[in-house]
Amino acid sequence: MASAGLSLHIGLNTVDPARYDGWDGRLVACENDARDMAALAREAGYSDTVLLTADGTVDQVTAALRDAAGRLRDQDAFLLTYSGHGGQVPDETGGDEEPDALDETLVLHDREYLDDELQRELARFPEGVRILVLLDCCHSGTAIEVPDLLTPEALREQFGTADREEVTAVSRLMPPTLQGTLYRRDRDFYQGLQRELDAEATAGGRPGGRAGRLEADALLLSACQDNQLAADGRRNGLFTGTLLKVWDGGAFRGGHRAFHRAVLRRMPPNQSPNLYVSGRPSAAFLAQRPFTV
């Protein structure tokens, strides 16, 4: 039986200001990223779902992920792409192994979506499903904290200006001061959610996952390193636009590591995409040409 491929593409040019203390998070190119990645996926043989701006809610994203998890089987393929803001939420519950005690987030239309929430949904996919995740957003990892990215020297090096408001307008970073404000407002909710995720992971973590966490078998290609910001653009985000040029309408040949290196070579030194292997995806999948169904 031939393998099946499903893809989900999320692009948010704004968020709901009523849920983000008046901030609408306006960006330019995220919806275009989602549409262009969906077109790539269709050409590669995937059946695609696209969620743009107001449809990029926690409920709709979760429903689409669970629908795909219920339809795919061993050796099928799932592609997830996200373009929008990234943020962080403190993990004060003690269950997370992040050294900086921060959960990275996708800034969806109605609230921030924890990285552990995404891992939980991807871990629902049957074993053997080939999962590729592409994130075009700022999402600081475990090496440093967001304020270290926003010194005048760091901003001037990456964006040519030390004006934080100007940088916020052209990067996909949720303003750190707003992150703090929203977390204080919604602290009880996020702590309850984090405890729930920790309890689920402890009770049913997948074999091979880190202790106390659900960890999907997946490949993650992200827009930048821990100590960098992801740039928006006029047509596409810098990462997505570069990826599309490397893919070249399907002319690219090579595996996922070669694809990552080719994208990396075309990016400026102040934004270096990262390839991360989550769980234990097969060596054959890692060596496979990207977007193969």
Side-chain angles (χ1 to χ4, degrees), residues 187-204:
R187 180 177 180 178
D188 290 345
F189 168 80
Y190 282 113
Q191 288 192 350
L193 178 58
Q194 287 161 336
R195 283 191 290 268
E196 175 189 326
L197 290 164
D198 291 340
E200 289 183 12
T202 301

Side-chain angles (χ1 to χ4, degrees), residues 86-88 104 135-151 154-155 157-159 167 170-174 179 222-232 238-239 260 264 267-275:
Q88 291 178 320
E104 282 68 53
L135 300 179
D136 195 344
C137 60
C138 296
H139 57 101
S140 296
T142 58
I144 66 171
E145 298 185 23
V146 167
D148 296 321
L149 304 178
L150 300 178
T151 64
L155 296 180
E157 179 181 354
Q158 183 167 2
F159 294 98
V167 169
V170 297
S171 75
R172 293 179 172 183
L173 174 70
M174 185 181 183
Q179 293 183 45
S222 60
C224 58
Q225 300 291 324
D226 295 337
N227 61 342
Q228 299 172 331
L229 301 178
D232 197 26
L238 180 58
F239 168 65
H260 167 244
L264 186 61
M267 295 285 286
N270 53 28
Q271 187 179 330
S272 305
N274 185 47
L275 177 64

Side-chain angles (χ1 to χ4, degrees), residues 207-288:
R210 286 174 285 176
R213 292 187 62 160
L214 287 170
E215 187 168 40
D217 297 330
L219 301 181
L220 168 65
L221 189 56
S222 60
C224 58
Q225 300 291 324
D226 295 337
N227 61 342
Q228 299 172 331
L229 301 178
D232 197 26
R234 293 182 179 179
R235 168 65 199 184
N236 294 109
L238 180 58
F239 168 65
T240 298
T242 304
L243 182 152
L244 290 167
K245 289 176 183 175
V246 170
W247 181 244
D248 192 19
F252 177 84
R253 294 293 182 269
H256 288 92
R257 290 195 188 279
F259 188 60
H260 167 244
R261 288 193 298 269
V263 174
L264 186 61
R265 282 194 297 269
R266 285 178 173 245
M267 295 285 286
N270 53 28
Q271 187 179 330
S272 305
N274 185 47
L275 177 64
Y276 176 73
V277 179
S278 171
R280 297 190 297 184
S282 71
F285 174 39
L286 190 56
Q288 195 172 55

